[in-house]
Structure formats: C-alpha cells, structure tokens
C-alpha cells in the first residue's frame, strides 16, 4: 500500500490513486493540474493532457529511437557487437514478419512495424516496474499522480490504432481508388450480387447490407487493436496493484506477514506471466498492423 | 480514463517516431545487413565453386598421374630394352674382341714358332757342320760337302 505519511488510505483509495492520470488543462483561470484534493479537475475537457502518459510514452519512444539510431549509425559489417546483434535480431524478426505477411510494396511498413513492436514493448515493460516505486518518487517531487504504463491509457492505445486506421484508409483509397474501396470492397462483399446472379433490382439492398457489415468490420479494426492492448495492460496493471495491497497489510494486522508472503509469491508468478503478455501484446499489435495494411494493399 | 488530447499527442509522437525510424534507423540497418547477406552469399558461392574446382583438379590429377605412370613404365621398359641391347652389344663386341685377340695371339705364336724354326734350322746346319767337322776333321772338305750339308739342313 502507498506509504504516504498519513497511511490512512483505504484499499479503494489506493487503487483509485494508482489508476488516476496526472492531467493538465487550460481552464478559464489559467492552467489546471490534477491535485490530490481534486484529481479530476480536467475531467470532461477534451483539451486536457495526461501529462504522465505523454511523458512516459515520449520518453520510451525517444529511448527506442536513440538506441536504434546509435546502433544503426555505427553498424559494422564484420564483428558486430552484442548490442548490434540484438538490434539485428529485432530487425530480422520484424523484416521476416513483414516479408511473410505483407504482400504489397511499401517502404513505410517495415519501419512502422519496427517502431510499433519496440515502442509498445517498452510501454508494456513499464508494467514490470513495481507499481509504487515511481509514483512514490513522484509524490516526493510533488507530483500527486503518476501512471507510468502508457499502454494502460486508452488515449495512448487509441492514438496508435487511429493512426494505423488512417493509414489503412489512405492506402485503401490510394491502391483501390475511391470507387474500388467504397463500392468494390465495402459493398460487394461478403455477398456479391453479381456472382450470386441476382436481378439488378435487389442490388441496392444487398449492397447496403454489405456496407453495414463491412463498415462494422472496418471500424472494428482500430477499436479491437487499441482495446486489446489497453485491456490486457490495464488488467495486468490492476493485478499488480491488487497484489501490492497484500504487501500493505504486512504492518496492519497480525496475520499480515502471511499476506505479505502470499503477495511476494503472487507477484513473482504474475510478473513472470506478464513478461509473456508484454511481449505477446506488442507482437500482436505489430502483426495485426501488418495484416491490415497488407489487406489495404491487396486488390480483390 | 476519458478521451482527451493525449490522443492527438500520441498520434503526433507516433508519426514522428515512425518517420525517424524510416529515415534514420531502418535504411542504415538494412544496408549493412543486406551487404553482409551479399558477402555471405558470394562467399558460399565461391566456396562451392572452389570445391567444384577441387573436384575437377582431383579428376585431372588422377588422369595426369595415370599418364605419368604409363610414361614412367614406358621409360623403364625402354631403359630395360636399352640395357639388354647394350649388354648384348657388349657381349658381341667382347666376343669379337676375344676372337680377334685370340687370332692375333695365335698368329704371333705361329710367327714366333716359324721364326724359331728358321733360327733353329740355321743353327742346326751350323751345329751339324761343326759336329761333322769335329767328327771327320780333316777328311772332309768343307767346300765339297757344303752342298750336301745344305740339302740336309733344308730337310730338317
């Protein structure tokens, strides 16, 4: 449990505290920041910024870019070092995935996939840092809220998936044309009135039916992409918070140490399992991006 | 957990990072890795070419060694033949030399014999005369019996 001086937080307060982003927004009287007395000062304001999510997501993105740029700049043909070998393994993994899955011709897709898998992996990896460590340090620095796992913030995951959705639309329109995409792809599937030999009279109905189905399928892509990542990481984070509650009970009751011991065991088990989730979610996000963009490049 | 402008910030950051990766990371890594792939492919091709060349050289070696062996055998045969013929020739030469030496020796001996006989003949005549002189002393006129004695000596 949070070791803040009063020590009087209830379990639900502790959880709520951990799930609250540190926000800032421009109110009528200047900048408004989340405070412990009013954590949701910016609630409902679209122009509010989750400062902690933004900070960590950019920090991790810069970390990825700096690391890979440093290695890429000093790549040697012979005798690659350990770091270069690592980067090459990641490169090769992404390049192979793209080559096997993506059948179009695009110079963007491979670096896009690399950025996605590394960046999301780093974001998810923040989940393995003990839940109280950085928020407590932030508290000492006077920052009341600090969510350090950007992928537990829907804004971040939607930011990624909507960008990819924009690319899907862009490439679909570019490769299939407006008519090819809207009519050919969204209206002539899955029931193709031409192939089914229907009279022309029925075509508009069938096409309207198809359009509704395909539109849902299309919109489900960014939605599922972001919510899958968000849901997995949010649930994982919540599990860590709940397990951390067990540690908090050590000093509270006589049976506390037993809870503490159980907490340690659970934490280790969940953290090990979570390594899988962290990697898997980054991989799934990357693969689905490649698949969706590959579909956007294919013509029927 | 409401949607706010963090979304837009994330989209901008995403765009920037992808752009950076596309511009400054991916091509550099790709270049080196593809170059290395080319080098490895070339190396493997060279290796297989080398082993093929080795195979060919091996076959060539067998042919050359066979030829050399045949040639050597021929030379040895030739040398053997030559040796035999030299020995034969030498034998023939030695034989003829022997005959010649033998013949000349025989001739010399005969010559020697006839010379000795001539000498002996002369001496016999004089010995006979001397003997006869001693035996008959004054009774016999040397001059009148010379013809007789010469005939005698010639009959020896």
């Amino acid at each position: 449990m949070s070791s803040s001086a009063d020590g009087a937080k209830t379990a639900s307060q502790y959880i709520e505290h951990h799930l609250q982003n540190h926000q800032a927004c421009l109110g009528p009287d200047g900048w408004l920041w989340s405070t412990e007395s009013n954590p949701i000062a910016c609630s409902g304001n679209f122009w509010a910024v989750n400062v902690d999510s933004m900070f960590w997501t950019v920090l991790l993105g810069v970390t990825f870019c700096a690391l890979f740029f440093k290695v890429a700049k000093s790549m040697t043909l012979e005798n690659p070092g350990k770091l270069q070998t690592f980067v090459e393994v990641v490169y090769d993994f992404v390049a192979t995935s793209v080559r096997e899955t993506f059948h179009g011709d695009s110079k963007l897709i491979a670096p896009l996939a690399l950025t996605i898998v590394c960046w999301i992996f780093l974001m998810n990896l923040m989940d393995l840092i003990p839940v109280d460590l950085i928020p407590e340090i932030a508290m000492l620095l006077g920052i009341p809220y600090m969510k350090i796992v950007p992928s537990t913030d829907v804004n971040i995951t939607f930011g990624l998936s909507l960008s990819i959705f924009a690319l899907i639309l862009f490439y679909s329109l570019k490769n299939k044309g407006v008519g090819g995409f809207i009519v050919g792809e969204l209206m002539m599937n899955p029931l193709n009135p031409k192939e089914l030999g229907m009279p022309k009279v029925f075509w508009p109905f069938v096409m309207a039916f198809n359009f509704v189905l395909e539109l849902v399928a299309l919109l489900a892509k960014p939605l599922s992409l972001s919510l899958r990542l968000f849901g997995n990481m949010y649930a994982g984070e919540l599990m860590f918070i709940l397990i951390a509650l067990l540690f908090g009970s050590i000093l509270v009751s006589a049976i506390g140490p037993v809870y503490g011991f159980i907490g340690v065991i659970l934490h280790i088990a969940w953290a090990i399992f979570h390594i899988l989730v962290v990697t898997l979610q980054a991989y799934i996000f990357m693969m689905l991006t490649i698949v969706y963009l590959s579909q956007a490049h294919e013509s029927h | 957990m409401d949607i706010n402008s963090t979304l837009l910030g994330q989209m901008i950051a995403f765009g920037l990072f992808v752009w950076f990766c596309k511009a400054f990371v991916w091509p550099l890594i790709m270049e080196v890795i593809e170059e290395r792939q080319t080098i490895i492919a070339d190396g493997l091709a060279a290796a297989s070419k080398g082993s093929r060349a080795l195979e060919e050289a091996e076959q060539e070696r067998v042919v050359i060694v066979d030829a050399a062996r045949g040639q050597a055998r021929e030379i040895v045969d030739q040398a053997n033949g030559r040796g035999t013929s030299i020995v034969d020739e030498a034998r023939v030469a030695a034989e003829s030399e022997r005959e010649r030496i033998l013949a000349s020796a025989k001739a010399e001996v005969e010559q020697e014999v006839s010379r000795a006989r001539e000498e002996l003949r002369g001496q016999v005549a004089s010995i006979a005369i001397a003997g006869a002189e001693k035996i008959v002393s004054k009774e016999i006129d040397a001059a009148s019996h010379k013809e007789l004695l010469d005939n005698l000596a010639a009959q020896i």
Side-chain angles (χ1 to χ4, degrees), chain A residues 10-30:
Chain A
T10 64
S12 71
Q13 276 173 332
Y14 175 76
I15 294 169
E16 273 171 25
H17 182 266
H18 268 289
L19 296 181
Q20 174 63 45
N21 281 110
H22 189 50
Q23 294 179 321
C25 59
L26 197 56
D29 312 317

Side-chain angles (χ1 to χ4, degrees), chain A residues 189-243:
Chain A
N189 280 303
L191 294 173
N192 190 329
K194 197 191 271 177
E195 283 176 11
L196 293 173
M198 286 182 175
K200 289 266 184 190
V201 192
F202 294 115
W203 282 34
F205 300 105
V206 176
M207 282 165 77
F209 175 72
N210 283 339
F211 186 68
V212 172
L213 275 186
E214 286 296 311
L215 202 63
V216 169
L218 184 69
L219 294 177
K221 284 175 182 175
L223 203 65
S224 65
L225 208 52
S226 64
L227 288 182
R228 179 186 302 106
L229 178 61
F230 165 74
N232 272 283
M233 299 323 294
Y234 189 80
E237 176 78 347
L238 202 58
M239 279 296 288
F240 278 121
I241 295 169
L242 294 176
I243 290 167

Side-chain angles (χ1 to χ4, degrees), chain A residues 15-269:
Chain A
I15 294 169
E16 273 171 25
H17 182 266
H18 268 289
L19 296 181
Q20 174 63 45
N21 281 110
H22 189 50
Q23 294 179 321
C25 59
L26 197 56
D29 312 317
W31 283 96
L32 273 174
W33 293 81
S34 302
T35 56
E36 280 204 84
S37 56
N38 185 15
I40 51 168
C42 290
S43 182
N45 183 347
F46 178 76
W47 295 107
V49 176
N50 293 345
V51 180
D52 45 4
S53 293
M54 242 11 261
F55 171 75
W56 288 106
T57 194
V58 170
L59 181 73
L60 294 169
V62 168
T63 306
F64 154 69
C65 284
L67 177 72
F68 274 64
F69 180 62
K70 176 182 173 291
V71 174
K73 202 172 47 166
S74 57
M75 285 280 280
T76 59
L77 201 56
E78 284 152 25
N79 292 327
K82 290 192 177 70
L83 191 60
Q84 186 184 331
T85 311
F86 167 74
V87 166
E88 283 182 17
V89 167
V90 175
Y91 166 91
D92 197 51
F93 168 71
V94 172
T96 308
S97 301
V98 171
R99 199 168 42 243
E100 285 173 356
T101 312
F102 185 75
H103 302 301
D105 180 34
S106 168
K107 292 233 181 301
L108 176 69
I109 182 87
L112 175 75
L114 179 69
T115 310
I116 286 174
V117 73
C118 292
W119 197 18
I120 293 180
F121 177 77
L122 288 175
M123 286 187 207
N124 294 352
L125 204 61
M126 298 300 286
D127 218 357
L128 294 177
I129 295 175
V131 285
D132 276 321
L133 182 65
I134 292 175
E136 286 299 319
I137 294 171
M139 198 89 89
L140 293 176
L141 297 173
I143 302 164
Y145 296 101
M146 180 56 74
K147 266 181 86 175
I148 63 163
V149 191
S151 46
T152 58
D153 183 344
V154 274
N155 289 297
I156 298 297
T157 60
F158 267 108
L160 292 169
S161 73
L162 288 180
S163 304
I164 288 159
F165 186 57
L167 284 176
I168 293 173
L169 293 181
F170 171 74
Y171 281 119
S172 293
L173 291 172
K174 186 185 164 202
N175 293 308
K176 296 162 189 172
V178 178
F181 178 54
I182 293 176
V183 178
E185 181 146 317
L186 297 182
M187 294 185 177
M188 301 300 267
N189 280 303
L191 294 173
N192 190 329
K194 197 191 271 177
E195 283 176 11
L196 293 173
M198 286 182 175
K200 289 266 184 190
V201 192
F202 294 115
W203 282 34
F205 300 105
V206 176
M207 282 165 77
F209 175 72
N210 283 339
F211 186 68
V212 172
L213 275 186
E214 286 296 311
L215 202 63
V216 169
L218 184 69
L219 294 177
K221 284 175 182 175
L223 203 65
S224 65
L225 208 52
S226 64
L227 288 182
R228 179 186 302 106
L229 178 61
F230 165 74
N232 272 283
M233 299 323 294
Y234 189 80
E237 176 78 347
L238 202 58
M239 279 296 288
F240 278 121
I241 295 169
L242 294 176
I243 290 167
L245 276 173
L246 288 171
F247 303 141
S249 61
I250 291 174
L251 301 173
V252 175
S253 64
I255 202 169
V258 178
Y259 286 135
F261 179 72
I262 294 170
V264 170
I265 301 290
L266 282 176
H267 183 92
I268 292 170

